[in-house]
Amino acid sequence: MSMFLSRYFGGANQKRSHAVRKSLLKASAPAIEGLEGRVLMSVSVSTLIGPRSDGSVWHYELLESNGTVLETSTSTAIGPATFNGQSATESDATGTTTGGTSTTTTKSYGAVTSDGLVGYGSTAVVTETGGTISNLSTTYSPTEILLPATMVEGTPYTETTTSTVVTTGATSATDVIQLSTTLTLEASTQSVTVPAGMYTAYVVDESITSTSTNTISGIPPITTGPTTSTLKAYYAPNVGLVEFSPPAGGGTELVSFTKGSGGGGGGGGGG
């Protein structure tokens, strides 16, 4: 999400390990710059992703196209951490399906760097009804760039990475997912209303192409794709991601947001 939010929703996130993004990991104001006689809107990653205060909490709902709530999620900015030897900022999330049939707890690690908002990886524990537990570890090579440092309206930003998801516990499997993501900032902000309130938001169009190879012990690898999905992500300054929606409807909405009082971390409430 901007594939932040999906990381917080167990089922969708673990299948793709990346995209029903998106946070994760603000304060600068949007900039305006001229190019060939036109005035173009631009915005920094710090404005898009929301406050970096440790203890900030975002509550989201994952919806079907008819509005039915499939899953609820709570994401919390934790603070400095280390992931595979890399200094990072930790963001923890708990997602629970409607009816409580599955709960996923995720620790995501990333940072705001000169490249923008980057993702190093995550760990997750999925607990199903009856106590069945699966453990997942996700890494990216090269480091995933979730949002560039600055976006200029109409300019596409494309990044590629390979996600490796290793599952142990109830099942043992490895998913290797080749991802190509293109992000484009729309030319104007939009008013968006979600359960948390009404916001003036920047809109980022996202196109994700993925090819996945799943390997389970004793079974020949299965490759699916490439498949392409498109999404719109809405980011409100001083809050972060407030809505994440596919063309068919449904998607993800912010239910509430509470800014923490701790020190700065790597951002949150994004995708």
Side-chain angles (χ1 to χ4, degrees):
M1 232 146 64
S2 70
M3 312 171 183
F4 302 139
L5 187 56
S6 48
R7 300 183 191 288
Y8 301 135
F9 292 97
N13 171 52
Q14 305 313 335
K15 284 291 183 186
R16 242 173 41 167
S17 140
H18 181 273
V20 183
R21 279 161 178 294
K22 106 285 176 313
S23 219
L24 298 180
L25 301 164
K26 189 179 130 215
S28 33
I32 300 292
E33 61 184 46
L35 179 63
E36 297 181 353
R38 297 195 308 137
V39 177
L40 302 179
M41 179 174 69
S42 68
V43 62
S44 69
V45 64
S46 59
T47 297
L48 293 178
I49 65 174
R52 292 184 259 176
S53 305
D54 298 347
S56 293
V57 179
W58 295 259
H59 296 280
Y60 292 98
E61 289 180 338
L62 178 64
L63 308 174
E64 285 193 281
S65 58
N66 63 3
T68 300
V69 176
L70 291 173
E71 198 165 338
T72 59
S73 178
T74 298
S75 172
T76 305
I78 300 300
T82 301
F83 181 76
N84 287 348
Q86 175 71 56
S87 295
T89 297
E90 179 180 333
S91 179
D92 291 357
T94 300
T96 303
T97 56
T98 300
T101 57
S102 175
T103 298
T104 301
T105 57
T106 304
K107 296 180 181 293
S108 297
Y109 302 90
V112 177
T113 71
S114 58
D115 291 324
L117 177 65
V118 302
Y120 299 126
S122 64
T123 60
V125 178
V126 182
T127 304
E128 309 283 350
T129 299
T132 302
I133 296 176
S134 297
N135 300 284
L136 298 93
S137 175
T138 301
T139 55
Y140 299 94
S141 180
T143 297
E144 179 185 32
I145 300 177
L146 296 163
L147 284 170
T150 301
M151 299 190 73
V152 178
E153 64 160 278
T155 301
Y157 299 84
T158 299
E159 70 100 17
T160 59
T161 187
T162 298
S163 166
T164 301
V165 184
V166 178
T167 303
T168 58
T171 60
S172 295
T174 299
D175 290 279
V176 177
I177 307 162
Q178 297 174 319
L179 294 161
S180 177
T181 303
T182 298
L183 308 176
T184 306
L185 177 68
E186 293 193 359
S188 61
T189 58
Q190 292 185 24
S191 177
V192 57
T193 300
V194 294
M198 179 182 294
Y199 299 93
T200 298
Y202 293 94
V203 185
V204 176
D205 295 327
E206 180 175 335
S207 175
I208 311 162
T209 299
S210 62
T211 300
S212 176
T213 300
N214 175 264
T215 303
I216 300 176
S217 179
I219 301 176
I222 299 173
T223 298
T224 57
T227 59
T228 298
S229 59
T230 58
L231 301 156
K232 286 183 182 290
Y234 299 81
Y235 297 94
N238 301 313
V239 177
L241 183 72
V242 296
E243 186 174 9
F244 199 64
S245 59
T252 301
E253 294 181 341
L254 180 68
V255 176
S256 67
F257 165 69
T258 303
K259 184 177 179 179
S261 58

